[in-house]
Amino acid sequence: MEEIREALTITPNATLKAYLDMVFEDAGLKVHSVETLKEGLGYLKKNSPAIIVLDDLHENGLDSAGFIWRVKRVKRLKHVPTIQIIHKTSERQRLTIEISGADHIVELPIKNSRFRKLIADLLSFSR
């Protein structure tokens, strides 16, 4: 029986969520979507997705960079590819995201063919 691979997406943005769902379903992954970073951490306590994509979020003392930093320090999750979606950002914020351990940073608007190639490359590498 083939293992079902999942993608975790974290965004409250319905348009971005719909796009990510479509890309991951096309790539053969089951999508688990949550709207907050705390819900994402809760999901990761029991699950190990094939890839994690998160929006630029800030909530109650936790931001996306802090979320990725935490994920990359968990032994079973440290090799899970992470993609941080960013809106217009400063160089300082971009550097913070890189230091957190994000594998890729994708700025909105997402270029569809480039993003799909990135996903395909990450999934083939992480098998």
Side-chain angles (χ1 to χ4, degrees):
M1 188 160 108
E2 188 176 319
E3 174 187 0
I4 297 174
R5 297 175 70 197
E6 289 189 336
L8 173 62
T9 62
I10 307 170
T11 181
N13 181 315
T15 304
L16 180 57
K17 178 193 173 308
Y19 173 74
L20 293 172
D21 286 356
M22 180 181 63
V23 169
F24 287 124
E25 287 169 3
D26 287 351
L29 284 110
K30 179 181 174 192
V31 182
H32 184 86
S33 298
V34 296
E35 293 187 3
T36 69
L37 297 170
K38 293 197 190 273
E39 289 174 315
L41 289 174
Y43 172 81
L44 291 172
K45 285 181 181 179
K46 297 181 179 180
N47 300 281
S48 299
I51 192 166
I52 301 169
V53 179
L54 60 156
D55 204 346
D56 188 15
L57 301 172
H58 305 270
E59 56 192 51
N60 302 328
L62 181 62
D63 64 6
S64 299
F67 177 93
I68 292 171
W69 187 88
R70 287 180 184 194
V71 167
K72 292 300 184 178
R73 267 106 201 119
V74 175
K75 187 175 183 177
R76 73 178 164 81
L77 298 173
K78 70 181 180 180
H79 297 294
V80 174
T82 56
I83 299 175
Q84 170 70 61
I85 304 293
I86 59 172
H87 307 264
K88 301 285 185 217
T89 188
S90 67
E91 193 57 35
R92 179 181 177 154
Q93 184 182 15
R94 185 179 285 275
L95 184 59
T96 300
I97 294 168
E98 289 174 5
I99 290 170
S100 75
D103 296 299
H104 294 277
I105 299 170
V106 175
E107 190 166 343
L108 291 175
I110 294 173
K111 294 177 177 42
N112 188 46
S113 60
R114 186 179 301 162
F115 187 74
R116 285 177 182 269
K117 181 174 182 344
L118 171 63
I119 298 301
D121 290 347
L122 290 173
L123 292 175
S124 68
F125 180 73
S126 67
R127 286 185 185 254

